[in-house]
Amino acid sequence: MDMVFGGIKVLTLALVGYWLYSDAKARDYHPVIWAASGVLLGFFGVGVLGPILLAAVMGLYMLKRPKGPLRICPHCRKPAMDALANCPRCKGILKKDCYRCFQVVDVTMDRCPNCNAKL
């Protein structure tokens, strides 16, 4: 019975750690720290304390993480937060400036939505 419980615990921690790392990486918000804190607190918590600490880390992450929609990076095809100027994974450019009105526009646009200038 202990082997089954241990296997379920390790699998759960691996999935939660992967999710925390992936989401924090897409939002450029300290992915190693969040994934490691969730996995370590969940693993070393004794008895019922492990799942409670894991839930606390996940709840704290959901409250503290940067809010906003995710988009697909045109360079690496990985999710990245829409407000970022560079992709946190491949460091590709996601935003550029219009040289006429200085509006920040998406790198995939051909014309500025503000002044209709060619980019």
Side-chain angles (χ1 to χ4, degrees), residues 26-102:
R27 296 173 190 280
D28 200 22
Y29 191 59
H30 312 293
V32 174
I33 292 173
W34 282 106
S37 64
V39 169
L40 290 176
L41 286 175
F43 186 75
F44 290 115
V46 179
V48 184
L49 189 60
I52 291 171
L53 288 173
L54 182 63
V57 168
M58 288 180 64
L60 183 64
Y61 174 73
M62 293 299 286
L63 290 173
K64 296 288 293 177
R65 72 179 182 167
K67 308 294 187 270
L70 296 178
R71 60 173 291 186
I72 301 297
C73 172
H75 307 287
C76 67
R77 302 285 181 218
K78 301 283 185 183
M81 197 165 166
D82 193 38
L84 296 176
N86 294 330
C87 176
R89 295 179 194 264
C90 70
K91 307 297 184 218
I93 297 172
L94 298 176
K95 304 280 185 183
K96 59 184 174 181
D97 294 331
C98 174
Y99 295 114
R100 181 190 241 177
C101 68
F102 303 107

